[in-house]
Amino acid sequence: GPDLSIVLGNYNRHDAEVVASRNVALVPNGIPDPRPDFEKDVLPIRLSQAAKRRAGEEYTFQVLYLGACYRPKGLFDLLEAIAIANEKLKGTPVDIRLVVAGTFSLKSEHTEFEHRVRQSDLINWVEYKGFVSGDEKRGLLRNSDCLCFPTYYEAESFGLVVIEAMAHGLPVIVNRNDIRIPTRHQPEPEDESRLLTLDARLTAKLQCARRVGQGPRLPRVADQFLNELASDDCAQAGTAV
C-alpha cells in the first residue's frame, strides 16, 4: 500500500484503510481569506447592526442558509425553527427572516420547500435565492446577521461555508457534529428535541448578537475555531478575537 494517504475528515479514514495505507494524515479543506478588506468594508456593517439591536429598535434579524438544499443538511428543520422563533418574538420589535441560497438536488424536496414557505407562518419570513456565487454570495454574507449550518448529513466532512461566514464576522449556528463526522446515531429530522434545540440556539444567538458587533475572524482564531463552532457558549461564538 501507499506510504501516506491524506483525508479530509475522520469519515474518510476508511478509504485509506481500503488501500492499506501505512500512514493517514487528516488535512481539512482550507480557503484564502475571502474578506481581506474586512475592517473597511464589513466591520462598519457589523457595528451598525449591533448598535441597532442594542438600541431596541425594530429590527429584522437575517439568518442565512448557504449550501445544498437537502433534507439531511437541516434545511427543513431550520424552516420550522424560524416559524417557532417568530411566534415567540411576537410583540417584540424583532423578527427573524431566513434567506436560503443553494440548489435542490431532489425535485420532490424543492416542491415540499415551496409549499412550506407559502404557509402563513413563513410566507413573509423566507426568501429563496437559488444558486449564488461571486459578488451576490459575498453580499449575502456581508449583509446577514448570522449563518445557520444545521447539517446532520452523515458524510459531512467540513463545511467551508462556516469558514467563509467567520471571515465575514458572522456568528454561526451549527450542530455539535456538523464539522466532524458523528460517531453516534443522529435523530430523525422531524425529531422534536432537535427542532426545539435548533430554535433555542437560534434565539440565543439573536440575544448574543445584540451584545456583540462581529463574530470571530478566521485568521485570528485558526487555533480555536473548531471548539468555538461546536460550542453552545454564546459569548465564545460571538466575541471578536
Side-chain angles (χ1 to χ4, degrees):
D3 292 330
L4 175 66
S5 288
I6 299 174
V7 298
L8 294 177
N10 286 322
Y11 182 85
N12 306 106
R13 286 185 181 275
H14 178 68
D15 298 339
E17 294 169 359
V18 168
V19 296
S21 295
R22 286 188 278 276
N23 297 283
V24 181
L26 193 158
V27 181
N29 275 325
I31 57 172
D33 185 352
R35 290 316 298 241
D37 57 348
F38 175 83
E39 283 75 12
K40 178 181 178 181
D41 190 53
V42 181
L43 180 57
I45 293 175
R46 295 285 170 264
L47 296 176
S48 175
Q49 289 170 328
K52 290 178 181 178
R53 292 188 291 254
R54 286 195 298 266
E57 302 175 10
E58 289 191 1
Y59 191 83
T60 296
F61 187 89
Q62 181 167 299
V63 177
L64 177 62
Y65 176 96
L66 182 60
C69 297
Y70 183 45
R71 188 180 301 279
K73 293 283 190 174
L75 174 59
F76 289 92
D77 302 84
L78 179 55
L79 292 179
E80 301 308 321
I82 294 293
I84 292 172
N86 274 320
E87 180 64 27
K88 290 182 177 180
L89 289 167
K90 281 184 177 179
T92 76
V94 178
D95 48 51
I96 301 179
R97 175 174 180 263
L98 173 64
V99 175
V100 177
T103 56
F104 286 86
S105 56
L106 298 177
K107 184 178 180 180
S108 60
E109 290 190 355
H110 193 179
T111 300
E112 180 182 351
F113 172 87
E114 294 289 351
H115 175 75
R116 180 64 186 92
V117 300
R118 287 196 296 267
Q119 302 305 302
S120 60
D121 57 349
L122 285 178
I123 192 167
N124 295 318
W125 308 118
V126 180
E127 179 181 3
Y128 177 56
K129 292 284 192 180
F131 176 78
V132 299
S133 62
D135 289 342
E136 185 177 10
K137 178 181 177 180
R138 285 189 289 272
L140 289 176
L141 288 163
R142 180 176 180 263
N143 295 311
S144 294
D145 291 279
C146 83
L147 175 86
C148 191
F149 188 67
T151 179
Y152 48 91
Y153 179 52
E154 64 177 7
E156 198 76 64
S157 54
F158 189 86
L160 289 180
V161 67
V162 172
I163 300 299
E164 292 179 288
M166 292 174 68
H168 284 77
L170 282 182
V172 179
I173 301 172
V174 297
N175 286 334
R176 287 185 177 275
N177 293 316
D178 67 350
I179 52 175
R180 53 190 186 281
I181 295 308
T183 57
R184 63 180 187 274
H185 171 69
Q186 291 292 308
E188 293 298 321
E190 293 78 17
D191 187 315
E192 183 178 1
S193 64
R194 173 197 293 282
L195 178 59
L196 293 177
T197 298
L198 180 57
D199 168 59
R201 296 182 74 181
L202 182 62
T203 51
K205 188 65 71 175
L206 174 59
Q207 295 296 326
C208 174
R210 286 174 173 156
R211 299 193 297 272
V212 297
Q214 63 185 101
R217 281 281 289 152
L218 170 61
R220 306 172 192 172
V221 292
D223 59 343
Q224 63 183 345
F225 77 91
L226 289 176
N227 289 332
E228 292 188 358
L229 291 179
S231 171
D232 282 329
D233 185 338
C234 181
Q236 283 188 4
T239 302
V241 177

